[in-house]
Amino acid sequence: MDADADLVVSLYDEKIGLQRETEELRKKRNDNALAMKGKLDPETRAVRIEEGKLLKDKIAQAEARLTELDNRLAVEGAKIPNMAHPEAPRGKEDKDNLEVKRVGEPTKFDFEPKDHVQLGQSLDLIDFDTATRVSGTKFYYLKNEAVILEMALVRYTLDTLMKKGFTLFQTPDIAKTEILEGIGFNPRGPESNIYTVEGEGTCLIGTAEITLGGYYSGSILDKISLPLKLAGVSHCFRREAGAAGQFSKGLYRVHQFTKVEMFAYTVPEESGAMHEYLRTVEEEIFSGLGIPFRVVDTCTGDLGAPAYRKWDLEAWMPGRNGGEWGEVTSTSNCTDYQARRLNIKYKDEDGKNKHVHMLNGTAVACSRAMIAVLENFQRADGSVAIPPALVPYCGFSEIGRK
RNA sequence: GGAGCGGUGUCCGAGGGGUUUAAGGAGGCGGUCUUGAAAACCGUUGUACCGCGAGGUACCGGGGGUUCGAAUCCCCCCUGCUCCGCCA
């Protein structure tokens, strides 16, 4: 990010000056045209028409310069990231994140635990090899009970969210480039994590944050209707280009997965409280599953452009490098960063239209949640217990050898 | 994918180059009248930007073009409906 605030300011000043100039010219044009409404003697009319032609020329030139300036301003302005919360830990990368809470303790086994790739193979639940042949690396087939388990995770989560007053959605898996950019994703360029659809101006979404955040783009919301709490199920697609060196075994970093995403629109004064709320919902969902996790306050360098503050939930993954915390959910307060780009406002009591604050949080990312379930609930005989909260949704209470 | 017809303000709905400053209606808000309400009547009404203000500029699905002047004419695109084709 090569953000340059000074450049944006000077471009803005320049633009305003030119805009005023252009508006004055347009005023003259309008006055001139108005003066020709009624009957005129041919001579006067001819003079008017010449005057009009001159103005038309000047306006065209001014407008062309204004458009160019506007575009430059938009490009430079879009580079400026959101502010960071003053209490967010300062730091450059994820190891500077701050653990703020721990729920449960790392699962202890009286046998050597397997990782989810081994479990998925021995229990015939996940097929990476065939997916690699058919679709490429970092794809997978879910098989047998794993198919049901994914749906159970989704349904368990949706039931939880519905009880809390979230409006449920199943969103499109594709969205327009302009929406992606409004949310703060960069769909272009080789480092992009987004798949673009050839010739359509659209992309495969990396998260339902995009479709839920785009839902009210260009609208003015009633203050009385806020806060809005949405939850959306979608598939998520990520290119993960250059992720080869990172931890990428099994389901942890894949090109496609299913996710239930929470999204909220609030007035500015309430976004902080809503952010806390979304985090507690995430905690409740993972506590309910009986999976140990910790909460991390994301450092400034790891926030990304849209986020003002971000919390990650990291679940205990016994099979990851012999036992490690692995990110399973994330919730961000993006304040008005996305609302400005997507033009989403609310009408305040003073009659003014102001930008809403927008927040998002993962309710459940099925692939990573499944890692946590399989690895934490495995048993000495190689079978896996189903977390009690999911049994009603699965219709079975364990996954045994075939 | 093909054909036909549409897209106008908060909503419905006229207007097809200059008396449009977008008619008319509905709704909302304010007021008159009333013990109160309804009805009637009067006024008001969106968004963005510039300006201390008066006020100005832009917006009739989006983008180009024609013209002294475009909601109105031309071109491209998007989108809705109806019919046809295809299809889970």
Side-chain angles (χ1 to χ4, degrees):
Chain A
M1 276 294 177
D2 49 343
D4 185 344
D6 291 338
L7 177 61
V8 172
V9 170
S10 75
L11 283 173
Y12 177 81
D13 288 342
E14 201 182 333
K15 179 209 145 169
I16 293 303
L18 186 53
Q19 179 177 316
R20 281 162 74 171
E21 223 173 283
T22 310
E23 286 180 0
E24 270 169 42
L25 286 169
R26 287 203 276 236
K27 166 95 176 108
K28 285 185 187 164
R29 176 199 61 194
N30 292 348
D31 289 344
N32 189 57
L34 205 64
M36 267 189 282
K37 249 178 168 179
K39 289 208 163 140
L40 289 177
D41 65 88
E43 217 167 292
T44 316
R45 179 167 290 270
V47 171
R48 287 287 185 192
I49 288 178
E50 279 315 304
E51 173 72 16
K53 283 185 178 176
L54 205 68
L55 284 167
K56 183 183 174 175
D57 247 24
K58 284 186 181 170
I59 289 170
Q61 285 175 32
E63 282 179 343
R65 282 195 292 147
L66 187 58
T67 305
E68 195 209 320
L69 210 46
D70 245 342
N71 292 340
R72 279 182 65 200
L73 180 60
V75 168
E76 294 303 324
K79 289 180 184 171
I80 295 184
N82 202 347
M83 312 289 262
H85 191 286
E87 286 167 35
R90 303 287 174 93
K92 289 195 169 158
E93 46 197 9
D94 53 7
K95 64 170 178 283
D96 297 319
N97 295 344
L98 186 70
E99 178 178 326
V100 293
K101 184 175 185 177
R102 199 178 274 208
V103 175
E105 284 303 319
T107 313
K108 299 276 195 298
F109 298 93
D110 47 17
F111 57 92
E112 187 60 35
K114 298 173 176 166
D115 68 28
H116 71 280
V117 178
Q118 295 169 304
L119 289 164
Q121 189 161 22
S122 62
L123 297 173
D124 198 17
L125 297 175
I126 311 170
D127 183 344
F128 291 101
D129 295 340
T130 306
T132 298
R133 192 181 80 243
V134 171
S135 305
T137 55
K138 294 195 169 81
F139 286 96
Y140 54 97
Y141 286 87
L142 295 181
K143 287 179 72 181
N144 301 313
E145 290 95 332
V147 178
I148 306 299
L149 179 57
E150 164 157 325
M151 292 186 171
L153 281 165
V154 169
R155 184 63 202 273
Y156 157 75
T157 304
L158 290 177
D159 275 1
T160 303
L161 297 176
M162 193 158 57
K163 282 183 199 134
K164 294 178 180 300
F166 284 80
T167 303
L168 304 188
F169 291 86
Q170 184 162 293
T171 86
D173 289 340
I174 284 182
K176 294 182 180 176
T177 301
E178 70 214 53
I179 301 292
L180 273 284
E181 286 169 346
I183 292 293
F185 282 83
N186 177 15
R188 293 181 240 271
E191 78 291 351
S192 172
N193 205 7
I194 298 292
Y195 290 101
T196 56
V197 180
E198 176 99 42
E200 295 287 336
T202 55
C203 309
L204 301 187
I205 61 171
T207 158
E209 176 191 351
I210 292 157
T211 39
L212 294 176
Y215 194 83
Y216 289 105
S217 62
S219 27
I220 299 171
L221 303 167
D222 281 336
K223 188 176 185 181
I224 192 87
S225 71
L226 299 174
L228 290 169
K229 294 188 292 179
L230 322 185
V233 194
S234 80
H235 295 111
C236 304
F237 301 90
R238 301 185 180 184
R239 291 177 57 207
E240 303 296 354
Q246 302 176 47
F247 187 91
S248 61
K249 194 177 179 185
L251 288 175
Y252 192 77
R253 196 176 298 281
V254 287
H255 288 314
Q256 177 186 334
F257 58 98
T258 305
K259 179 157 68 73
V260 181
E261 180 80 356
M262 302 181 281
F263 204 90
Y265 297 82
T266 74
V267 295
E269 308 81 71
E270 286 172 13
S271 67
M274 178 59 78
H275 195 206
E276 299 277 339
Y277 172 77
L278 292 178
R279 197 195 68 224
T280 63
V281 173
E282 293 182 356
E283 291 177 9
E284 186 181 322
I285 288 167
F286 272 83
S287 301
L289 290 173
I291 293 169
F293 65 89
R294 64 177 190 168
V295 181
V296 152
D297 196 345
T298 303
C299 76
T300 49
D302 215 19
L303 279 177
Y308 175 70
R309 197 172 205 187
K310 185 194 296 194
W311 280 298
D312 289 350
L313 257 63
E314 298 181 345
W316 183 250
M317 297 184 176
R320 180 175 162 151
N321 292 333
E324 259 186 357
W325 302 104
E327 180 185 338
V328 281
T329 73
S330 175
T331 178
S332 298
N333 181 1
C334 296
T335 60
D336 63 359
Y337 180 92
Q338 298 172 331
R340 289 179 184 283
R341 283 164 174 72
L342 292 168
N343 191 24
I344 304 176
K345 302 181 177 180
Y346 70 98
K347 191 175 283 295
D348 210 348
E349 273 108 13
D350 61 8
K352 296 243 169 63
N353 294 324
K354 299 171 183 171
H355 290 103
V356 297
H357 279 194
M358 293 163 66
L359 305 97
N360 64 81
T362 319
V364 73
C366 289
S367 48
R368 289 192 180 178
M370 196 159 333
I371 296 173
V373 169
L374 294 178
E375 293 187 358
N376 283 292
F377 283 80
Q378 62 180 302
R379 299 189 289 212
D381 64 358
S383 66
V384 171
I386 298 296
L390 295 182
V391 171
Y393 298 109
C394 282
F396 48 84
S397 58
E398 61 171 21
I399 304 172
R401 287 181 178 278
K402 300 291 170 303

